[in-house]
């Protein structure tokens, strides 16, 4: 529509309009050269929110006309996106194989966090199986697995009491032989091992774009551009990102990765699996009174404050690393239906349960964070390989939901990926149909591995919650079919569709009255966000992009009372009154974002598209 | 004026991180905490690199005093355009008690050794807020100083510095060699992009020990105790002036 419009203008008019656009600010009439103009004509009151180039391409933008857009490119053998357990395990395994077979292999790993572990958040109770495979001598090497689980406690909470549930051998929540770890520290340690082996680690650089060969196979990735102003225009310090080309690219972005989202569409990877379902996990670290400290104790609970139809539960782990520290958190399934539910506030009020409050009394909170996690399990695993790349870790999603453990399977998937692609990438003759290597062997090997068996055996536990008895029906199902029959039943239960579609309109639901935080055990959102250490360069386009700027007020607020104000654990989304006249507008506080991905998952209009901000931005978790 | 510029860069806890006092009250927790280059040091590096790009100076040498991890900070300076780095190894107890006096002695010794014509530092570090290193270095070398610089221009054998002072802006002209400290508005530092980080891996970082420079690291200060600032008490609203006076009397303020 706009192209013929533009050619009608004379050169002088172009110059005049260009001057006009540089004078505009955020809230004034949107620029003429974008499709938002169409909507601006009908609802001039929608202020411009999204300025990111993924929504407003720069090739049509006059402010970018004279900017040099060439990128510097470099070649590696393997590029890994994501420096988490999966990515690092793959990198380490590749270099171990390269040294073993005396082959040269250039492995480059890019990670959006400023240092490895800064964006890592997990409970976590680690099964050391995959780590032992990677480093049989991990203990001598000083891997930070300092707290073996000594005590497993499972409870069903009511408002004031708890019903203890015995953790019999065979139940998924049994942690004998596992370690309570601060996953961020383990990731940092894995990074050190990787560097020693010769992996090139580049933290602080986010992969923002997938690159393709002519034949549509994956060529590699490009890192983010820097120096773009909040309104989408180039600053003086603007510099293009860099291209990293590889024979194979591994995508290990963690749960709901933004590049993986594109790849699913590009290669149709999800046509034969169920959509992924998720939960949000919020976590805090506390230094508690020494008298309350029980190192090695792992507590889990279900029930209060969630009702039986809302999946979720808690964890509280006593670490044994010198200080009397506990890691505790709350998980809420994102298939909840009440738009008034706030996972953050559920977490804060759960802490007031007598069983939990007694542990935290007199203690001090020292960290906070949140992240989405996978709940789809076996049924939601997509196709894992495509020409030029493969998916590893929580990105495709190998989490064992009832165990709430995904780290060991993520690491194993990284190891299997490395072992499958090593012979192909170091072969004398790169016998490949496509320019980017296709490694279907990875998927085949995964299907015969322990990961597959494990996920298959627990595949029906999570979906079994969708029954009239909710939580209790699910527990009965688990007791019979998992504990007794080991998941061998011939049927596979389905999930209920994508989480975003599960919300009921606000008018059909009752608002939840949450207690006010007391400032000692429970806290407000903003002081919690400050503890995550999150920060971003302020003058950059908001990375929470909206496909349509008018949808939040027109749909999310109107029908669902703006659930994003409640499910975001960092206070990014706020509905505020407009400056003049009536009505509300959505304000996006992008700097608060902790990269949890919940908004991209749960937005009922699926209008929010999370893209990666400038590398180095985001939380500064320390051993979370 | 041609020659060598020494730029000091300090590795500090990132400004957005919430710091925590160690349980033994001897300092703050630094283990695993996100660190980055002191923002004023970034501005100093940028200024030095700009001078080199204008061909007013020949070589930029980035210096950092600290443990092994300080090398990452030097690497960032190299990626921004510095030519080579010097890592002065200070770790453990020596690092805990390292302050402006020792650093300025180190910088003075290096300046003589490297025959530097200019030293550019950040005006202060965001962890200790001392604002002393630049001034002490100039004194030790008996060089003129242009501190709180918001504008620097090289003219023949002199430097014109516009300084941000309490009363406004002060313009001075000083001889070279000199020490400059960078203030916020001096420039906008460039990003250390990935291709430059990769190139920086090939640039040299020399390892030096303070003893090699004849510097004594003993601190003249002893930190007795570190505590969090007292919690801010909630305010109280009163209805009338009488209430206010009564409250002030109650709490012994009047």
């Amino acid at each position: 529509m706009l192209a013929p419009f533009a050619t009608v203008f004379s050169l002088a008019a172009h110059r005049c309009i260009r001057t006009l656009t540089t004078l505009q600010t955020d809230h004034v009439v949107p620029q003429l050269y974008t499709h938002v103009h169409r909507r601006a004509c009908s609802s001039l009151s929608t202020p411009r929110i999204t300025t990111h180039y993924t929504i407003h391409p720069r090739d049509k933008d006059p402010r970018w006309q004279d900017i040099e857009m060439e990128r510097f490119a470099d070649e590696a053998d393997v590029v890994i996106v994501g420096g988490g357990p999966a990515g690092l395990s793959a990198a380490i395994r590749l270099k171990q194989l390269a040294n073993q077979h005396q082959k040269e292999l250039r492995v480059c790993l890019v990670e959006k966090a400023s240092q490895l572990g800064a964006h890592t958040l997990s409970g976590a109770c680690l099964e050391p199986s995959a780590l032992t495979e990677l480093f049989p001598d991990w203990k001598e090497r000083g891997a930070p697995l300092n707290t073996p689980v000594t005590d497993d406690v499972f409870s069903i909470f009511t408002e004031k009491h708890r019903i203890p549930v015995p953790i019999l051998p065979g139940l998924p929540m049994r942690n004998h032989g596992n370690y309570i770890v601060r996953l961020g520290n383990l990731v940092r340690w894995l990074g050190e091992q990787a560097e020693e082996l010769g992996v090139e680690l580049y933290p602080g650089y986010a992969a923002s774009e997938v690159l393709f060969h002519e034949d549509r196979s994956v060529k590699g990735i490009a890192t983010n551009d820097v120096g773009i102003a909040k309104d989408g225009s180039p600053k003086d310090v603007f510099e293009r990102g860099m291209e990293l080309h590889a024979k194979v690219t591994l995508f290990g972005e963690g749960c709901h990765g933004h590049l993986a989202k594109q790849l699913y569409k590009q290669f149709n990877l999800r046509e034969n699996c169920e959509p992924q379902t998720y939960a949000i996990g919020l976590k805090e670290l506390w230094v508690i009174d020494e008298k309350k400290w029980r190192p090695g104790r792992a507590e889990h609970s279900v029930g209060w404050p969630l009702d039986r139809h809302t999946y979720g539960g808690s964890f509280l782990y006593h670490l044994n690393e010198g200080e009397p520290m506990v890691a505790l958190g709350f998980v809420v399934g994102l298939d909840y239906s009440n738009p008034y539910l706030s996972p953050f506030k559920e977490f804060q009020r759960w802490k007031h349960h007598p069983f939990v409050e007694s542990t935290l009394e007199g203690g001090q909170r020292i960290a906070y964070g949140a992240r989405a996690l996978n709940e789809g399990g076996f049924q939601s695993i997509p196709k894992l390989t495509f020409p030029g790349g493969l998916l590893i870790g929580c990105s495709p999603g190998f989490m064992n939901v009832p165990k709430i453990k995904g780290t060991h399977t993520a690491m194993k998937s990284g190891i299997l990926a490395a072992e499958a692609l090593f012979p192909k990438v170091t072969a004398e003759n790169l016998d490949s149909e496509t320019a980017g290597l296709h490694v279907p062997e990875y998927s085949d090997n995964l299907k015969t591995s322990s990961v597959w068996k494990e996920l298959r055996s627990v595949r029906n536990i999570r979906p079994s919650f969708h029954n009239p008895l909710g939580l209790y029906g699910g527990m009965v199902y688990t007791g019979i079919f998992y504990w007794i029959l080991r998941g061998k039943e011939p049927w596979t239960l389905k999930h209920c569709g994508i989480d975003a579609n599960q919300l009921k309109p606000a008018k059909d639901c009752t608002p939840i009255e949450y207690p006010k935080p007391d400032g000692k055990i429970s806290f407000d959102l903003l002081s919690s966000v400050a503890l995550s250490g999150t920060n971003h360069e302020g003058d950059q386009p908001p990375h929470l992009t909206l496909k349509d700027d008018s949808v939040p007020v027109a749909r999310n607020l109107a029908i669902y009372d703006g659930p994003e104000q409640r499910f975001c654990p960092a206070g990014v989304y706020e509905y505020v009154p407009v400056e003049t006249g009536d009505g509300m507008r959505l304000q996006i506080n992008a700097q608060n974002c902790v990269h949890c991905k919940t908004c991209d998952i749960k937005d009922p209009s699926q209008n929010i598209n999370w893209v990666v901000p400038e590398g180095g931005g985001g939380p500064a978790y320390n051993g979370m | 004026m041609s020659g060598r510029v020494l730029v000091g860069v300090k590795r500090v806890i990132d400004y957005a991180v919430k710091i925590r006092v160690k349980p033994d009250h001897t300092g703050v927790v630094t283990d695993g905490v996100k660190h980055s280059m002191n923002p004023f040091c970034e501005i100093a590096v940028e200024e030095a690199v700009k001078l080199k790009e204008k061909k007013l100076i020949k070589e930029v040498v980035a210096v950092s005093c600290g443990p092994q991890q300080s090398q990452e900070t030097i690497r960032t300076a190299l990626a921004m355009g510095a030519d080579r780095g010097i890592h002065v190894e200070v770790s453990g107890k020596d690092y805990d008690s390292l302050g402006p006096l020792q650093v300025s002695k180190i910088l003075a010794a290096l300046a003589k050794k490297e025959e530097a014509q200019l030293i550019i530092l950040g005006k202060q570090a965001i962890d200790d807020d001392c604002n002393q290193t630049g001034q002490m270095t100039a004194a030790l070398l008996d060089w003129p100083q242009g501190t709180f610089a918001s504008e620097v221009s090289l003219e023949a054998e002199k430097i014109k510095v516009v300084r941000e002072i309490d009363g406004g802006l002060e313009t001075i002209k000083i001889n070279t060699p000199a020490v400059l400290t960078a203030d916020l508005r001096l420039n906008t530092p460039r990003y250390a992009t990935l291709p430059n980080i990769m190139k920086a891996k090939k640039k040299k970082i020399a390892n030096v020990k303070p003893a090699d420079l004849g510097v004594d690291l003993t601190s003249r200060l002893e930190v007795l105790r570190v505590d969090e600032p007292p919690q801010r008490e909630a305010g109280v609203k009163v209805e009338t002036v009488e209430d206010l006076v009564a409250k002030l009397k109650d709490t012994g303020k009047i």
Side-chain angles (χ1 to χ4, degrees):
Chain A
M1 174 223 155
L2 295 161
F5 208 56
T7 53
V8 163
F9 291 170
S10 69
L11 190 59
H14 270 283
R15 252 184 258 131
C16 177
I17 291 160
R18 214 176 300 154
T19 336
L20 244 186
T21 56
T22 56
L23 290 173
Q24 282 168 3
T25 61
D26 280 35
H27 302 318
V28 177
V29 173
Q31 297 188 12
L32 291 174
Y33 290 101
T34 68
H35 64 276
V36 175
H37 180 67
R38 236 175 293 153
R39 253 165 308 280
C41 296
S42 50
S43 59
L44 219 82
S45 54
T46 306
R48 172 82 163 268
I49 302 173
T50 304
T51 53
H52 202 272
Y53 65 82
T54 49
I55 305 288
H56 302 298
R58 290 174 289 194
D59 49 0
K60 306 260 188 334
D61 192 327
R63 301 169 302 181
W64 289 87
Q65 265 194 2
D66 302 319
I67 304 292
E68 177 58 59
M69 296 299 262
E70 267 286 311
R71 275 190 290 224
F72 182 75
D74 204 359
E75 296 270 338
D77 292 300
V78 181
V79 163
I80 301 176
V81 176
L88 287 168
S89 299
I92 289 169
R93 196 78 191 99
L94 278 171
K95 275 310 218 177
Q96 284 175 338
L97 287 167
N99 293 344
Q100 194 188 328
H101 295 266
Q102 280 159 342
K103 291 243 159 95
E104 290 283 323
L105 197 68
R106 186 175 183 205
V107 180
C108 291
L109 188 149
V110 287
E111 162 58 46
K112 62 174 165 57
S114 56
Q115 58 191 48
L116 291 181
H119 289 186
T120 303
L121 186 141
S122 184
C125 232
L126 179 74
E127 257 187 47
S129 52
L131 181 62
T132 312
E133 217 185 297
L134 215 49
F135 294 111
D137 57 343
W138 56 257
K139 206 177 180 127
E140 288 79 41
R141 283 172 179 261
L145 273 68
N146 304 312
T147 314
V149 176
T150 54
D151 211 0
D152 251 318
V153 175
F154 195 88
S155 328
I156 302 177
F157 277 5
T158 62
E159 192 174 340
K160 296 263 184 332
H161 305 283
R162 69 172 270 258
I163 305 165
V165 174
I167 300 294
L168 304 161
L171 278 175
M173 306 86 192
R174 197 166 138 86
N175 280 302
H176 186 72
N178 296 336
Y179 291 82
I180 300 171
V181 295
R182 295 173 67 174
L183 194 60
N185 290 347
L186 180 61
V187 165
R188 198 160 31 122
W189 178 85
L190 284 171
E192 288 162 14
Q193 308 309 306
E195 237 184 341
E196 259 177 52
L197 285 165
V199 176
E200 287 179 51
L201 297 173
Y202 297 112
Y205 296 97
S208 65
E209 208 184 306
V210 184
L211 303 168
F212 297 95
H213 288 288
E214 293 268 316
D215 63 4
R216 307 270 73 206
S217 63
V218 170
K219 187 171 164 183
I221 53 102
T223 59
N224 58 282
D225 295 345
V226 290
I228 304 178
K230 201 164 179 171
D231 64 4
S233 62
K235 295 194 276 196
D236 286 330
V237 285
F238 171 76
E239 280 205 56
R240 275 292 256 169
M242 175 178 159
E243 295 190 8
L244 276 172
H245 301 166
K247 299 183 184 125
V248 191
T249 309
L250 274 63
F251 292 87
E253 296 170 285
C255 177
H256 204 77
H258 78 111
L259 292 181
K261 198 175 169 187
Q262 290 172 33
L263 292 167
Y264 293 146
K265 279 206 205 87
Q266 178 80 20
F267 293 104
N268 228 344
L269 301 171
R270 300 207 73 101
E271 57 185 345
N272 292 324
C273 68
E274 288 208 46
Q276 184 64 263
T277 60
Y278 303 87
I280 178 177
L282 301 107
K283 177 180 173 182
E284 287 174 358
L285 283 178
W286 282 65
V287 174
I288 57 172
D289 187 344
E290 251 193 273
K291 294 190 226 66
K292 320 266 172 95
W293 186 36
R294 307 262 176 281
R297 189 169 153 107
E299 296 174 19
H300 293 103
S301 82
V302 290
W304 188 84
L306 297 176
D307 64 34
R308 67 172 188 274
H309 291 295
T310 306
Y311 185 83
S314 75
F315 64 88
L316 197 154
Y317 303 142
H318 292 248
L319 288 154
N320 191 3
E321 298 188 354
E323 276 187 292
M325 196 185 284
V326 295
L328 64 148
F330 204 74
V331 173
V332 179
L334 285 178
D335 57 346
Y336 68 82
S337 55
N338 187 343
Y340 293 107
L341 194 144
S342 160
F344 173 79
K345 292 197 174 146
E346 298 289 349
F347 175 36
Q348 297 303 317
R349 78 164 157 176
W350 164 80
K351 284 189 282 174
H352 281 292
H353 188 276
F355 196 61
V356 184
E357 192 165 330
S358 57
T359 306
L360 299 180
E361 223 147 34
Q364 196 204 359
R365 182 176 74 154
I366 61 166
Y368 164 84
R371 183 74 170 90
L373 45 127
N374 301 303
E375 297 257 308
F378 188 78
Q379 294 90 320
S380 304
I381 300 176
K383 191 155 176 293
L384 297 165
T385 66
F386 42 91
L390 19 94
L391 302 168
I392 55 175
C394 275
S395 182
F398 300 114
M399 195 167 104
N400 182 326
V401 180
K403 274 198 207 175
I404 42 166
K405 289 182 179 53
T407 311
H408 64 300
T409 48
M411 289 175 76
K412 180 73 179 164
S413 73
I415 295 170
L416 287 171
E419 289 171 351
L421 70 91
F422 181 76
K424 296 195 101 158
V425 98
T426 51
E428 287 299 319
N429 301 317
L430 278 177
D431 173 30
S432 175
E433 283 178 359
T434 50
L437 284 182
H438 192 192
V439 190
E441 291 82 352
Y442 159 57
S443 192
D444 300 334
N445 294 352
L446 198 79
K447 292 198 172 115
T448 55
S449 73
S450 56
V451 173
W452 210 254
K453 276 191 218 60
E454 184 180 336
L455 292 180
R456 190 160 199 289
S457 69
V458 297
R459 72 194 181 288
N460 286 326
I461 296 184
R462 176 67 174 94
S464 71
F465 278 73
H466 300 297
N467 69 77
L469 292 173
L471 167 74
Y472 305 109
M475 293 181 78
V476 168
Y477 186 97
T478 307
I480 302 172
F481 289 100
Y482 183 77
W483 190 51
I484 301 176
L485 295 177
R486 291 265 156 263
K488 292 208 175 52
E489 67 270 33
W491 56 81
T492 299
L493 298 175
K494 280 186 177 312
H495 298 302
C496 290
I498 67 168
D499 293 327
N501 292 344
Q502 305 307 320
L503 277 183
K504 295 206 187 93
K507 61 174 168 58
D508 298 336
C509 302
T510 32
I512 305 177
E513 279 285 320
Y514 288 104
K516 278 210 169 357
D518 72 348
K520 293 203 195 60
I521 303 283
S522 53
F523 300 90
D524 65 301
L525 186 60
L526 290 180
S527 64
S528 308
V529 176
L531 267 187
S532 69
T534 193
N535 194 27
H536 295 85
E537 161 62 50
D539 194 14
Q540 66 173 307
H543 63 279
L544 298 321
T545 66
L546 305 172
K547 292 188 203 133
D548 182 341
D549 279 352
S550 62
V551 164
V553 172
R555 197 158 183 274
N556 288 24
L557 187 60
I559 306 175
Y560 303 100
D561 197 45
E564 56 269 61
Q565 340 170 55
R566 297 188 192 91
F567 60 56
C568 173
V572 170
Y573 300 97
E574 268 188 288
Y575 281 97
V576 295
V578 290
E579 274 83 23
T580 50
D582 286 323
M584 306 288 265
R585 64 174 180 89
L586 178 66
Q587 177 169 287
I588 297 184
N589 306 312
Q591 278 179 282
N592 287 12
C593 182
V594 292
H595 297 207
C596 76
K597 314 293 175 65
T598 302
C599 56
D600 195 312
I601 295 165
K602 190 59 175 168
D603 175 12
S605 312
Q606 287 290 278
N607 187 40
I608 300 173
N609 194 41
W610 190 99
V611 298
V612 76
E614 274 180 18
Y621 296 145
N622 181 11
M624 282 289 259
Chain B
M1 196 194 86
S2 64
R4 199 165 287 133
V5 174
L6 233 55
V7 180
V9 293
K10 186 178 181 186
R11 178 177 181 261
V12 296
I13 295 181
D14 187 83
Y15 74 91
V17 169
K18 264 229 157 2
I19 53 166
R20 182 164 73 103
V21 174
K22 280 203 259 201
D24 61 4
H25 292 276
T26 56
V28 296
V29 176
T30 52
D31 204 32
V33 174
K34 178 178 173 185
H35 283 69
S36 41
M37 191 191 289
N38 183 38
F40 296 107
C41 297
E42 283 180 357
I43 299 173
V45 174
E46 176 64 25
E47 197 59 24
V49 174
K50 272 197 162 72
L51 289 175
K52 190 176 92 156
E53 284 171 346
K54 288 192 201 140
K55 302 239 193 315
L56 295 167
I57 53 130
K58 274 219 198 106
E59 195 188 22
V60 178
V61 183
V63 181
S64 193
C65 307
Q68 186 65 14
Q69 295 99 314
S70 294
Q71 295 206 5
E72 287 163 25
T73 314
I74 301 176
R75 218 39 99 183
T76 309
L78 294 173
M80 285 172 73
D83 298 293
R84 58 184 170 90
I86 300 176
H87 173 214
V88 182
E89 263 189 77
V90 182
S91 49
K93 283 250 142 47
D94 282 336
Y95 182 59
D96 290 337
S97 63
L98 190 69
L101 182 61
Q102 299 99 310
V103 174
S104 53
K105 287 180 182 171
I106 292 171
L107 290 176
L110 278 173
K112 290 202 190 103
K113 185 161 176 266
E114 298 283 334
E115 292 174 350
Q117 297 223 253
L118 195 57
I119 300 179
I120 310 182
L121 306 172
K123 72 170 180 181
Q124 66 198 57
I126 61 169
D127 53 4
D128 55 21
D129 272 347
C130 281
N131 197 321
Q132 295 164 2
T133 309
Q135 293 87 333
M136 284 180 172
T137 311
L140 286 170
L141 288 166
D142 199 24
W143 286 5
Q145 53 183 267
T147 52
F148 308 100
S150 68
E151 225 182 282
V152 169
S153 38
L154 271 53
E155 302 174 353
E157 291 299 309
K158 293 193 195 277
I159 309 180
K160 185 171 105 181
V161 183
V162 178
R163 305 178 59 228
E164 293 204 8
I165 60 172
D166 287 347
L169 296 172
E170 179 191 57
T171 309
I172 58 170
K173 218 179 239 182
I174 55 177
N175 292 324
T176 57
V179 175
L180 304 175
T181 70
D183 207 327
L184 196 62
R185 278 156 281 270
L186 182 56
N187 59 50
T188 307
R190 67 195 63 192
Y191 287 85
T193 56
L194 186 54
N196 290 333
I197 286 275
M198 286 179 172
K199 285 189 204 134
K201 292 211 166 162
K202 301 200 182 79
K203 294 185 183 174
K204 273 194 146 53
I205 300 180
N207 252 325
V208 175
K209 293 209 176 44
D212 300 341
L213 300 169
V215 171
D216 165 30
L217 287 179
T218 19
S219 178
R220 308 301 196 258
L221 302 171
E222 189 195 332
V223 173
L224 298 175
R225 195 183 155 90
V226 177
D227 276 305
E228 285 201 12
Q231 286 284 354
R232 203 172 157 199
E233 296 276 329
V236 178
K237 261 186 166 161
V238 291
E239 296 293 309
T240 68
V241 175
E242 286 78 21
D243 286 344
L244 176 61
V245 174
K247 272 239 159 21
L248 288 172
K249 283 196 175 147
D250 268 344
T251 53
K253 299 271 195 286
I254 53 171

